Structure formats: structure tokens, C-alpha cells
């Protein structure tokens, strides 16, 4: 079913269902969008544009977030925290009078009970440990092991130090298993033991 969404096209900002994304909102049109959302259903749709130019074309898939926390400043800016609710696919952009862009989209129904096999989970954790060691990250692996599959895979997908194209590919992955497999491939691709090497990119 089609739904109307106010969008925040922010390069490099990826949100997954069930996760949180803190944002500092200072541009007038997005301050207006936050005010509008707070007066209605508190929902804002995060999506990546192909470039940083105003009104740039959008990627096909984004994520709807609900404003979970908000701090309104005296000068009109906002600090907000979005909680991801559902991925969506853009059907068309709407011709609107609001300063912020709006789209007609369909919500993507993900399987909330999806889980990895024991082999998939073990393979992911093994590659994640290798990637973290190569990058010099300190990780509480006991806490990682206690996470459910979706929280683990989507959480790493959102915070991993990949470029925008890679994170977009993760967001567009149709299933949890497919996202896990792609995440392993990306960790292998981006892993670098030499900090002086030039950063690789999929873009």
C-alpha cells in the first residue's frame, strides 16, 4: 500500500529498522520538516541522495524513523534521535509546496522472525573478529555474542566504516541472510592491515 513520506535525503546517513540514529537538524527546510513531523506522527523518512547537490536523485530504498527523542533549541535547531521502523521503496517523488521533499512509497515488510543458521552466525562472527583486529577496534565480544541475529547484522551494517554505496547495498539486501553474506564480503573487501594504504571505495 502506498504511503506519503517526508524525506530527509542525507548523504552517508543510514538507518535500519529497530536501530537509532542521532541527528543535528539546522537547515531551515529540515527544521520545518521536524516541526511538521512533531505536529503529526513524528515520522521522518531517511534516504540517501546520489550526490550532495540540492534536489539530487534519490536511491530507491530508505528507512522510516520515528522521533524518539527531541531537543528543541532557542535558535530553531533540533537535536533528535530517530528509531527505525520500516524500510521503504520510493515509487515516485511528489510535487509539493513544502520546503522539504516528499515521496509516495511502499513500505517493505521484513520478516521480524528471520534468523541466521548456526553456520552463518559463526562465519559472520569469525570474519567480524578478523576485521576488527585489522582495523584496531576494541570490541566487547561477550556483548556481541549475546545479541540476536537481526540486532547484530543490522547494527554492524549501520555503524561499519564503509562508504555510502556499500551501506546502501546493505540496506537494500532483501533478507537477513543476504545482508549477512554481503556484510562478510564487504568486511573482506574493506579490510586493510596497513593504515597508510589509500582508502578503498565501492563508489
Amino acid at each position: 500500500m502506498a504511503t506519503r513520506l517526508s524525506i530527509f535525503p542525507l548523504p552517508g546517513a543510514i538507518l535500519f529498522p529497530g536501530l537509532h540514529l542521532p541527528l543535528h537538524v539546522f537547515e531551515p527546510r529540515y527544521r520545518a520538516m521536524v516541526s511538521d513531523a512533531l505536529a503529526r506522527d513524528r515520522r521522518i523518512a531517511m534516504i540517501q541522495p546520489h550526490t550532495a547537490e540540492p534536489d539530487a536523485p534519490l536511491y530507491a530504498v530508505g528507512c522510516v524513523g520515528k522521533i524518539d527523542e527531541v531537543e528543541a533549541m532557542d535558535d530553531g535547531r533540533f537535536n533528535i534521535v530517530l528509531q527505525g521502523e520500516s524500510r521503504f521503496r520510493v515509487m515516485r517523488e511528489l510535487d509539493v509546496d513544502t520546503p522539504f521533499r516528499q515521496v509516495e512509497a511502499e513500505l517493505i515488510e521484513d520478516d521480524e522472525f528471520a534468523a541466521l543458521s548456526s553456520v552463518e552466525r559463526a562465519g559472520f562472527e569469525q570474519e567480524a573478529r578478523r576485521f576488527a583486529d585489522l582495523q584496531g577496534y576494541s570490541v566487547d565480544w561477550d556483548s556481541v555474542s549475546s545479541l540476536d541475529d537481526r540486532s547484530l547484522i543490522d547494527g554492524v551494517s549501520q555503524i561499519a566504516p564503509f562508504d555510502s554505496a556499500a551501506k546502501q547495498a546493505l540496506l537494500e539486501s532483501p533478507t537477513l541472510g543476504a545482508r549477512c553474506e554481503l556484510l562478510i564480503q564487504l568486511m573482506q573487501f574493506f579490510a586493510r592491515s596497513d593504515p597508510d594504504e589509500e582508502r578503498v571505495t565501492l563508489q
Side-chain angles (χ1 to χ4, degrees), residues 122-132 183-184 187-188 191:
F124 173 80
E125 290 196 16
Q126 180 180 8
E127 191 59 43
R129 286 174 181 269
R130 175 178 174 273
F131 182 78
L183 195 50
I184 289 173
M187 286 190 291
Q188 294 170 344

Side-chain angles (χ1 to χ4, degrees), residues 13-16 46-50 58-64 86-91 105-106 108 110 167-173 179:
I14 294 284
L15 176 63
F16 281 83
M46 298 300 301
I47 192 166
Q48 290 202 111
H50 282 279
L58 305 169
Y59 279 97
V61 175
C63 182
V64 179
S86 173
R87 294 188 302 149
F88 67 89
R89 182 173 290 103
V90 175
M91 300 170 66
E106 60 175 349
I108 298 172
D110 288 311
K167 289 195 172 188
Q168 184 65 33
L170 288 165
L171 185 65
E172 294 183 11
S173 295
R179 187 170 300 123

Side-chain angles (χ1 to χ4, degrees), residues 130-131 133-136 188 190-197:
R130 175 178 174 273
F131 182 78
D133 287 344
L134 288 172
Q135 298 297 315
Q188 294 170 344
F190 282 96
R192 288 293 182 268
S193 57
D194 183 354
D196 294 326
E197 284 192 35

Side-chain angles (χ1 to χ4, degrees), residues 13-178:
I14 294 284
L15 176 63
F16 281 83
L19 299 181
H20 291 85
L21 180 66
L23 294 168
H24 176 64
V25 183
F26 58 90
E27 288 188 47
R29 59 177 168 172
Y30 298 126
R31 284 157 44 182
M33 181 183 63
V34 171
S35 296
D36 178 74
L38 291 172
R40 295 186 300 105
D41 58 6
R42 301 177 72 91
R43 287 173 173 80
I44 291 172
M46 298 300 301
I47 192 166
Q48 290 202 111
H50 282 279
T51 70
E53 298 300 319
D55 302 320
L58 305 169
Y59 279 97
V61 175
C63 182
V64 179
K66 185 173 184 178
I67 299 176
D68 189 44
E69 299 178 25
V70 58
E71 177 190 9
M73 301 181 179
D74 292 339
D75 60 3
R77 293 176 296 149
F78 292 96
N79 287 321
I80 64 174
V81 176
L82 291 181
Q83 179 174 4
E85 291 194 332
S86 173
R87 294 188 302 149
F88 67 89
R89 182 173 290 103
V90 175
M91 300 170 66
R92 66 186 181 95
E93 184 161 358
L94 301 173
D95 185 12
V96 295
D97 294 329
T98 56
F100 48 88
R101 299 165 70 179
Q102 298 182 48
V103 298
E104 183 177 62
E106 60 175 349
L107 300 181
I108 298 172
E109 294 186 9
D110 288 311
D111 181 4
E112 60 179 306
F113 300 108
L116 302 175
S117 69
S118 58
V119 173
E120 288 175 316
R121 174 82 183 218
F124 173 80
E125 290 196 16
Q126 180 180 8
E127 191 59 43
R129 286 174 181 269
R130 175 178 174 273
F131 182 78
D133 287 344
L134 288 172
Q135 298 297 315
Y137 298 147
S138 177
V139 179
D140 183 351
W141 293 109
D142 289 336
S143 296
V144 169
S145 297
S146 68
L147 293 172
D148 64 85
D149 294 341
R150 183 170 294 281
S151 296
L152 175 61
I153 298 303
D154 288 355
V156 173
S157 295
Q158 181 165 311
I159 68 171
F162 303 151
D163 64 29
S164 298
K167 289 195 172 188
Q168 184 65 33
L170 288 165
L171 185 65
E172 294 183 11
S173 295
T175 65
L176 185 65

